Amino acid sequence: MYVSQLRTDGALRNHGWGLPGLAEQIYDIFVIGGGINGCGIARDAVGRGFSVFLAEMNDLASGTSSGSTKLIHGGLRYLEYYEFRLVRESLMEREVLWANAPHIIWPMRFVLPHHAGLRPAWLLRLGLFLYDHIGGRKKLPATRTLDMTRDPAAKPLKSLYTRAFEYSDCWVNDARFVALNARDAADRGAVVRTRTRVVSARRDAETWTLTLKDGLTGETEEVRARLVVNAAGPWVDEVLTGVVGANDAHNVRLVQGSHIVVRKKFDDPRAYFFQNTDGRIIFAIPYEQDFTLIGTTDQDYHGNPAEVKISDAEIDYLCAAASEYFVEPVKREHVVWTYSGVRPLYDDGASKAQEATRDYVLKADAVEGKAPLLNIFGGKITTYRRLSEHMLEKIEAFLGKRGQPWTAAGKLPGGDFAATAFDAELQKLKTEYPFLDAAHARRLFRLYGTKARTLLGQATSIEDLGKNFGSDLYEAEVRYQIAHEWAVTAQDVLWRRTKKGLHLTADEAAALDRFMEDAVDRRRRLAAE
């Protein structure tokens, strides 16, 4: 069954395998970088009628875009740094993005205990009043004050806190968010190529000629485009110096943010926003049903972004900060997983990493008589769609206007249902596939939305889903990710497309990797026929 599907589902085209004549075509736009900004721009541009080629040197969202705190949020603490434009734009985007992808984005309430001796209550109330009113909130509930002598949110906390504030933001599955933007871009006609490094780029008066190297085969090829977008995230300056050949580039300040995951610390569905005595903040968030996510740190980073990992000092910091609030301390031995990301913040000269602007800056390198280059510095997941729209304005200034802005109402794959209808749509899936247990059905619908039906196909029993790799991860899901979501390795599946890495043993993960190596190799051979 799977072999015939591989020949007809169009996924080979979207991987770029077996595509003839790429060198002959001149694309309108070439995007370097498969994070949220690169995929968002590719999606917006191709939806307006531009031809687009996107290359990512690793897996989609393998850098900063999978290392976030997983929030679609206004950035309450940014108000302290007078980032009013950024906060307002972010707040306005929360409900837009929730409507675009209600399977992977959903509302979450946050409890902010008032900590005596830190920010005063009046300042917190003022900040939350602005938070409620400057962003056009319609569906998300407003802030309320909690009596922590009576509210269940106080149960896991020390008895030091008599008052707290509860406010709204949204949760996002960040790596899936990137994959769905890439999927939609490819479905609309973009070429999306992962494991493909841009090794050089040269330009003349009309076009760029980019040399690409396939990271799996070592093969090289050339692609031509009228305009290049540098959305390489932490590598944006490296692209400028090493690929484009600029003499010097120091535009970004690399800031490391690390997180720890521990066994579930509380049963309440709400998350916590904790103030620290050093002026920083951390979140403690319900994560993957059985865990609590705690983060983030903020410290300057000077190494290779591909090698970033949490330090012992960061683990100790997060454990100590959370232990200030929880009755049961968070200890190093409780940590089951960690992850780190490098934020490519625009270097505005801020003295501290946590004070550097989270706003984005778009800059054009338009040398007279040469094809244009557009660079992205900074940005965050919440504002990626608006960043894309602003980038399209710059692109259209060079290439001419095509279609109208459309992504505000553009559903992402699997999200074609009302934002408030998740439970009703989940029930429909459970009715259609009664052999799925409740937790499995919910997980699939959370990850794939209505596309879960494509994954499950005509299955009438759990056995029809093929080999079980551990937990509730079955062959049908893995093959779907290979065919539709550019998954190549077990790492792609276990830590980006899903978080099943928290549940599989090392032997199970190794078996999955062997299976995927064979399945991906077979796809490449089919594409070459």
Side-chain angles (χ1 to χ4, degrees):
M1 178 181 76
Y2 289 115
V3 172
S4 63
Q5 180 188 11
L6 293 181
R7 291 182 179 276
T8 59
D9 65 8
L12 298 181
R13 173 180 64 83
N14 296 321
H15 276 276
W17 297 339
L19 278 173
L22 287 182
E24 288 76 24
Q25 179 173 351
I26 300 176
Y27 292 86
D28 293 321
I29 303 165
F30 190 101
V31 180
I32 301 175
I36 190 59
N37 290 332
C39 291
I41 290 165
R43 174 182 180 241
D44 193 339
V46 75
R48 299 193 197 199
F50 292 98
S51 57
V52 178
F53 192 117
L54 180 146
E56 161 56 44
M57 65 179 177
N58 295 310
D59 182 30
L60 297 171
S62 56
T64 306
S65 293
S66 61
S68 76
T69 312
K70 327 297 185 192
L71 300 180
I72 299 294
H73 67 139
L76 182 59
R77 70 187 182 91
Y78 305 155
L79 291 173
E80 290 187 312
Y81 303 111
Y82 309 109
E83 296 263 19
F84 296 114
R85 191 214 67 79
L86 174 63
V87 173
R88 183 173 184 272
E89 183 175 84
S90 301
L91 290 170
M92 292 173 68
E93 283 296 285
R94 294 178 305 176
E95 295 188 14
V96 172
L97 299 182
W98 175 24
N100 288 171
H103 48 324
I104 61 165
I105 297 174
W106 61 90
M108 184 172 281
R109 295 289 277 175
F110 289 78
V111 175
L112 168 54
H114 173 236
H115 192 306
L118 298 182
R119 296 169 181 84
W122 67 264
L123 182 61
L124 298 179
R125 281 199 303 266
L126 175 61
L128 288 166
F129 176 84
L130 291 172
Y131 212 68
D132 273 349
H133 291 91
I134 66 174
R137 177 184 55 84
K138 294 182 177 66
K139 294 182 179 179
L140 293 171
T143 298
R144 68 188 186 109
T145 302
L146 304 180
D147 179 354
M148 294 295 273
T149 65
R150 304 174 62 180
D151 195 280
K155 184 177 179 181
L157 305 183
K158 295 177 179 177
S159 58
L160 303 173
Y161 314 105
T162 60
R163 181 169 43 170
F165 302 98
E166 181 184 304
Y167 69 94
S168 293
D169 267 322
C170 289
W171 171 264
V172 63
N173 187 322
D174 54 3
R176 290 207 59 76
F177 200 33
V178 177
L180 294 184
N181 272 272
R183 178 71 266 156
D184 200 37
D187 288 343
R188 295 173 185 275
V191 175
V192 176
R193 191 80 72 85
T194 64
R195 265 75 182 195
T196 301
R197 181 185 293 272
V198 181
V199 295
S200 67
R202 63 184 187 276
R203 58 179 162 179
D204 55 31
E206 300 294 332
T207 61
W208 285 90
T209 300
L210 301 105
T211 302
L212 313 183
K213 183 175 183 179
D214 188 311
L216 299 178
T217 67
E219 296 175 355
T220 61
E221 64 183 306
E222 289 189 342
V223 174
R224 297 173 67 199
R226 295 180 176 86
L227 178 148
V228 170
V229 173
N230 178 9
W235 292 271
V236 63
D237 281 346
E238 183 179 311
V239 167
L240 287 172
T241 56
V243 176
V244 176
N247 292 328
D248 195 24
H250 297 288
N251 299 284
V252 293
R253 178 176 187 169
L254 300 183
V255 174
Q256 177 174 340
S258 297
H259 299 76
I260 60 174
V261 175
V262 300
R263 292 288 175 185
K264 186 164 64 174
K265 294 292 293 180
F266 51 89
D267 293 320
D268 201 292
R270 291 170 288 185
Y272 292 92
F273 179 118
F274 294 147
Q275 302 178 77
N276 302 336
T277 54
D278 61 1
R280 290 153 64 178
I281 61 95
I282 64 167
F283 294 98
I285 304 172
Y287 188 64
E288 296 293 316
Q289 287 76 54
D290 301 320
F291 304 92
T292 298
L293 172 66
I294 298 172
T296 180
T297 58
D298 274 299
Q299 62 181 33
D300 286 312
Y301 184 75
H302 302 288
N304 181 348
E307 298 173 356
V308 64
K309 63 180 181 178
I310 196 168
S311 66
D312 287 340
E314 286 179 299
I315 295 175
D316 291 341
Y317 175 85
L318 291 173
C319 288
S323 297
E324 284 291 312
Y325 285 83
F326 287 119
V327 173
E328 295 181 1
V330 178
K331 298 181 180 179
R332 176 180 286 268
E333 56 265 31
H334 297 160
V335 177
V336 298
W337 183 50
T338 68
Y339 67 89
S340 300
V342 177
R343 307 181 192 99
L345 305 182
Y346 184 68
D347 193 353
D348 60 357
S351 59
K352 296 180 181 179
Q354 64 266 31
E355 294 175 2
T357 181
R358 265 55 177 177
D359 211 344
Y360 53 83
V361 176
L362 311 180
K363 287 191 174 183
D365 176 358
V367 179
E368 187 175 353
K370 299 286 186 180
L373 168 68
L374 299 176
N375 301 291
I376 301 168
F377 308 109
K380 62 197 198 89
I381 283 180
T382 304
T383 54
Y384 93 100
R385 194 194 65 82
R386 293 291 289 133
L387 180 153
S388 299
E389 289 187 333
H390 290 145
M391 178 58 82
L392 262 294
E393 292 173 3
K394 291 186 175 294
I395 289 171
E396 289 174 341
F398 290 105
L399 301 185
K401 192 172 180 63
R402 302 283 177 91
Q404 296 297 316
W406 62 278
T407 57
K411 293 284 192 174
L412 284 165
D416 50 337
F417 57 93
T420 55
F422 178 87
D423 290 336
E425 294 295 323
L426 171 60
Q427 187 56 49
K428 291 179 185 177
L429 184 76
K430 290 162 68 174
T431 300
E432 294 173 37
Y433 298 93
F435 63 86
L436 296 174
D437 68 43
H440 191 187
R442 186 176 186 84
R443 183 182 73 81
L444 291 180
F445 201 71
R446 268 294 178 215
L447 295 183
Y448 306 98
T450 58
K451 294 295 183 182
R453 293 179 176 85
T454 304
L455 185 161
L456 295 166
Q458 298 179 354
T460 58
S461 69
I462 199 70
E463 289 75 22
D464 288 342
L465 300 184
K467 178 180 174 63
N468 176 255
F469 293 101
S471 185
D472 61 2
L473 181 65
Y474 287 85
E475 181 179 343
E477 184 175 358
V478 174
R479 288 193 181 276
Y480 178 91
Q481 291 183 16
I482 294 172
H484 298 277
E485 297 187 350
W486 297 272
V488 173
T489 69
Q491 188 86 359
D492 301 346
V493 171
L494 297 179
W495 295 112
R496 284 182 285 275
R497 308 303 185 279
T498 77
K499 290 297 181 288
K500 281 298 169 183
L502 291 167
H503 301 280
L504 267 64
T505 66
D507 287 344
E508 289 170 334
L512 173 63
D513 220 5
R514 291 192 296 272
F515 172 86
M516 293 188 66
E517 183 176 3
D518 179 69
V520 170
D521 181 64
R522 179 174 297 184
R523 288 180 64 79
R524 297 182 76 91
R525 284 189 276 108
L526 281 170
E529 291 179 2

